[in-house]
Amino acid sequence: KNEVEQSPQNLTAQEGEFITINCSYSVGISALHWLQQHPGGGIVSLFMLSSGKKKHGRLIATINIQEKHSSLHITASHPRDSAVYICAVGRGSQGNLIFGKGTKLSVKP
Amino acid sequence: EPEVTQTPSHQVTQMGQEVILRCVPISNHLYFYWYRQILGQKVEFLVSFYNNEISEKSEIFDDQFSVERPDGSNFTLKIRSTKLEDSAMYFCASSKDRGRNFGPGTRLTVL
């Protein structure tokens, strides 16, 4: 069983829609990361959180430590949001990251 | 805004050859990492490096792999004798806390 599970695997949305991507994990963590990987392959860090909620522009990330679950929300989605969104969990103070398989998001104009 | 850089962007090599992938982390960062992503698969942790030594490594990081910080700016990953299955995208990352700044990656193709 994967230690980090993401859903859905693929998501197609119309421009303007509200999007939610979910991440569940089965191990104890020190922090959870949301990453964005563009078609060219580069990885950008969106959020790192260990509790509560963070917001940056149209992106919101939440985490429920008790339920071992996190969500990434995108409000007013745009075609430029099309990318793979990856959840990764960190263990220990500077331990390795365990990655989910990613959610491929396609936003249609 | 400072960025992690990696060279080369694409490396093609013959099986059995040695390759060195290079990274320049962000200058005030203290923690350095290598990850790899085989085409179509998830990103995997290889190794973390702090205070001039390996702090953690995965099962993937066997004796064929080594890392080095030869000077104050570069961080390298060496694969001694490449195998076909080493073909992947290799990402360097650096951090000064629990965050991560990723480089653009080096695509390694082993023929």
Side-chain angles (χ1 to χ4, degrees):
Chain A
K1 185 183 187 302
N2 289 321
E3 293 165 297
V4 180
E5 297 274 4
Q6 288 186 236
S7 63
Q9 282 188 308
N10 293 283
L11 182 55
T12 300
Q14 286 297 127
E15 184 172 357
E17 285 184 1
F18 180 83
I19 287 161
T20 296
I21 299 170
N22 296 298
C23 176
S24 297
Y25 52 92
S26 58
V27 295
I29 68 168
S30 58
L32 183 141
H33 301 250
W34 281 103
L35 310 168
Q36 182 190 55
Q37 186 170 31
H38 283 282
I43 296 174
V44 175
S45 179
L46 299 174
F47 295 104
M48 182 190 68
L49 62 166
S50 53
S51 65
K53 176 178 173 178
K54 286 190 176 180
K55 184 176 190 291
H56 186 253
R58 294 180 295 107
L59 301 179
I60 303 166
T62 64
I63 187 168
N64 185 318
I65 296 294
Q66 286 73 31
E67 294 185 3
K68 295 187 174 178
H69 181 269
S70 175
S71 294
L72 176 69
H73 305 285
I74 305 174
T75 62
S77 60
H78 190 276
R80 65 174 175 265
D81 297 327
S82 298
V84 175
Y85 291 83
I86 300 170
C87 171
V89 299
R91 310 188 67 188
S93 60
Q94 277 301 330
N96 73 73
L97 292 182
I98 304 170
F99 293 79
K101 292 183 178 179
T103 294
K104 185 173 181 180
L105 172 65
S106 178
V107 182
K108 306 293 186 189
Chain B
E1 189 172 331
E3 293 179 337
V4 177
T5 60
Q6 290 185 242
T7 55
S9 56
H10 191 188
Q11 173 94 44
V12 181
T13 190
Q14 294 290 325
M15 189 170 58
Q17 294 295 304
E18 174 184 285
V19 294
I20 297 176
L21 309 183
R22 302 181 192 279
C23 169
V24 179
I26 294 173
S27 62
N28 63 345
H29 284 187
L30 302 175
Y31 303 90
F32 313 113
Y33 312 87
W34 283 102
Y35 301 91
R36 79 169 186 191
Q37 186 177 33
I38 295 170
L39 187 64
Q41 298 187 20
K42 63 181 180 179
V43 180
E44 299 172 291
F45 166 77
L46 291 178
V47 66
S48 59
F49 192 86
Y50 171 72
N51 202 26
N52 285 318
E53 61 182 22
I54 291 173
S55 50
E56 190 169 351
K57 61 182 181 179
S58 72
E59 292 176 352
I60 303 167
F61 194 87
D62 62 22
D63 292 343
Q64 292 298 314
F65 291 89
S66 62
V67 289
E68 198 176 39
R69 189 155 160 80
D71 52 42
S73 59
N74 289 285
F75 179 51
T76 62
L77 175 70
K78 182 192 289 187
I79 309 175
R80 288 191 183 81
S81 178
T82 49
K83 302 188 277 283
L84 295 176
E85 53 265 36
D86 293 327
S87 294
M89 193 78 155
Y90 288 81
F91 293 100
C92 173
S94 69
S95 69
K96 58 180 178 181
D97 49 30
R98 291 179 298 169
R100 297 287 190 278
N101 290 81
F102 287 85
T106 292
R107 182 168 299 283
L108 176 65
T109 302
V110 183
L111 303 176

Short mmCIF file of all heavy atoms in Angstrom, two decimals, chain A residues 5 8 18 22-23 25 28 38 40 45-46 54 57-58 60 71 93 103:
data_model
loop_
_atom_site.label_atom_id
_atom_site.label_comp_id
_atom_site.label_asym_id
_atom_site.label_seq_id
_atom_site.Cartn_x
_atom_site.Cartn_y
_atom_site.Cartn_z
N GLU A 5 -1.43 8.65 -0.74
CA GLU A 5 -2.42 8.40 -1.78
C GLU A 5 -3.07 9.71 -2.19
O GLU A 5 -3.50 10.48 -1.32
CB GLU A 5 -3.51 7.45 -1.28
CG GLU A 5 -3.02 6.06 -0.92
CD GLU A 5 -2.97 5.14 -2.13
OE1 GLU A 5 -3.25 5.59 -3.26
OE2 GLU A 5 -2.65 3.96 -1.94
N PRO A 8 -8.30 12.94 -7.22
CA PRO A 8 -8.28 11.89 -8.24
C PRO A 8 -6.92 11.80 -8.91
O PRO A 8 -6.06 12.64 -8.68
CB PRO A 8 -9.35 12.38 -9.22
CG PRO A 8 -9.26 13.87 -9.14
CD PRO A 8 -8.95 14.18 -7.71
N PHE A 18 -14.11 25.56 -9.37
CA PHE A 18 -13.41 25.35 -8.11
C PHE A 18 -12.91 23.90 -8.09
O PHE A 18 -13.65 22.98 -8.38
CB PHE A 18 -14.38 25.60 -6.96
CG PHE A 18 -13.77 25.41 -5.59
CD1 PHE A 18 -13.05 26.43 -5.00
CD2 PHE A 18 -13.94 24.22 -4.89
CE1 PHE A 18 -12.50 26.27 -3.73
CE2 PHE A 18 -13.40 24.05 -3.63
CZ PHE A 18 -12.68 25.08 -3.04
N ASN A 22 -7.17 15.81 -3.30
CA ASN A 22 -7.04 15.24 -1.97
C ASN A 22 -5.78 14.40 -1.81
O ASN A 22 -5.30 13.80 -2.76
CB ASN A 22 -8.26 14.38 -1.66
CG ASN A 22 -9.52 15.20 -1.60
OD1 ASN A 22 -9.66 16.09 -0.78
ND2 ASN A 22 -10.45 14.91 -2.51
N CYS A 23 -5.30 14.38 -0.58
CA CYS A 23 -4.11 13.60 -0.24
C CYS A 23 -4.33 12.94 1.11
O CYS A 23 -4.65 13.64 2.09
CB CYS A 23 -2.89 14.51 -0.23
SG CYS A 23 -1.36 13.70 0.30
N TYR A 25 -2.44 10.12 3.90
CA TYR A 25 -1.17 9.49 4.19
C TYR A 25 -1.32 8.57 5.39
O TYR A 25 -2.23 8.74 6.22
CB TYR A 25 -0.07 10.53 4.41
CG TYR A 25 -0.40 11.59 5.43
CD1 TYR A 25 -0.05 11.43 6.76
CD2 TYR A 25 -1.08 12.75 5.05
CE1 TYR A 25 -0.35 12.39 7.70
CE2 TYR A 25 -1.39 13.72 5.99
CZ TYR A 25 -1.04 13.53 7.30
OH TYR A 25 -1.36 14.48 8.23
N GLY A 28 3.35 8.87 10.25
CA GLY A 28 3.52 10.11 10.99
C GLY A 28 4.39 11.06 10.22
O GLY A 28 5.35 10.65 9.57
N HIS A 38 5.14 21.07 -13.94
CA HIS A 38 4.67 21.49 -15.26
C HIS A 38 5.06 20.47 -16.32
O HIS A 38 5.95 19.65 -16.10
CB HIS A 38 5.22 22.87 -15.59
CG HIS A 38 4.49 23.96 -14.87
ND1 HIS A 38 3.25 24.41 -15.28
CD2 HIS A 38 4.78 24.66 -13.75
CE1 HIS A 38 2.83 25.35 -14.46
NE2 HIS A 38 3.74 25.52 -13.53
N GLY A 40 6.93 20.54 -18.73
CA GLY A 40 8.37 20.50 -19.00
C GLY A 40 9.15 19.73 -17.97
O GLY A 40 10.33 19.42 -18.17
N SER A 45 7.53 24.34 -5.51
CA SER A 45 6.91 24.14 -4.21
C SER A 45 5.79 25.16 -4.03
O SER A 45 6.01 26.35 -4.18
CB SER A 45 7.96 24.29 -3.11
OG SER A 45 7.37 24.12 -1.84
N LEU A 46 4.59 24.67 -3.73
CA LEU A 46 3.45 25.56 -3.52
C LEU A 46 3.24 25.87 -2.04
O LEU A 46 3.09 27.02 -1.65
CB LEU A 46 2.18 24.93 -4.09
CG LEU A 46 2.16 24.63 -5.59
CD1 LEU A 46 0.89 23.88 -5.96
CD2 LEU A 46 2.30 25.90 -6.40
N LYS A 54 -3.29 27.22 4.69
CA LYS A 54 -2.48 28.29 4.11
C LYS A 54 -3.12 28.72 2.80
O LYS A 54 -3.72 27.91 2.10
CB LYS A 54 -1.04 27.82 3.87
CG LYS A 54 -0.22 27.71 5.14
CD LYS A 54 1.25 27.49 4.82
CE LYS A 54 2.08 27.49 6.10
NZ LYS A 54 3.52 27.28 5.83
N GLY A 57 -2.72 33.46 -3.09
CA GLY A 57 -3.47 33.79 -4.31
C GLY A 57 -4.73 32.96 -4.39
O GLY A 57 -5.56 32.95 -3.48
N ARG A 58 -4.88 32.23 -5.50
CA ARG A 58 -6.08 31.40 -5.69
C ARG A 58 -5.94 29.99 -5.13
O ARG A 58 -6.82 29.17 -5.27
CB ARG A 58 -6.37 31.32 -7.20
CG ARG A 58 -6.77 32.66 -7.82
CD ARG A 58 -7.07 32.53 -9.32
NE ARG A 58 -5.88 32.16 -10.08
CZ ARG A 58 -5.67 30.96 -10.59
NH1 ARG A 58 -6.56 29.99 -10.45
NH2 ARG A 58 -4.57 30.71 -11.28
N ILE A 60 -5.39 27.31 -2.00
CA ILE A 60 -5.59 27.12 -0.55
C ILE A 60 -5.23 25.68 -0.23
O ILE A 60 -5.64 24.76 -0.94
CB ILE A 60 -7.07 27.35 -0.16
CG1 ILE A 60 -7.52 28.76 -0.57
CG2 ILE A 60 -7.26 27.16 1.34
CD1 ILE A 60 -9.03 28.93 -0.53
N SER A 71 -5.97 18.72 1.68
CA SER A 71 -6.60 19.08 0.42
C SER A 71 -5.93 20.31 -0.15
O SER A 71 -5.49 21.20 0.59
CB SER A 71 -8.09 19.37 0.61
OG SER A 71 -8.80 18.22 0.97
N SER A 93 13.11 15.90 11.13
CA SER A 93 13.43 17.32 10.96
C SER A 93 13.91 17.63 9.55
O SER A 93 13.57 18.67 8.99
CB SER A 93 14.49 17.73 11.98
OG SER A 93 15.66 16.95 11.79
N THR A 103 -1.63 14.25 -9.19
CA THR A 103 -2.94 14.43 -9.82
C THR A 103 -2.73 15.31 -11.05
O THR A 103 -2.24 16.43 -10.93
CB THR A 103 -3.93 15.11 -8.87
OG1 THR A 103 -4.21 14.24 -7.78
CG2 THR A 103 -5.22 15.48 -9.59
#
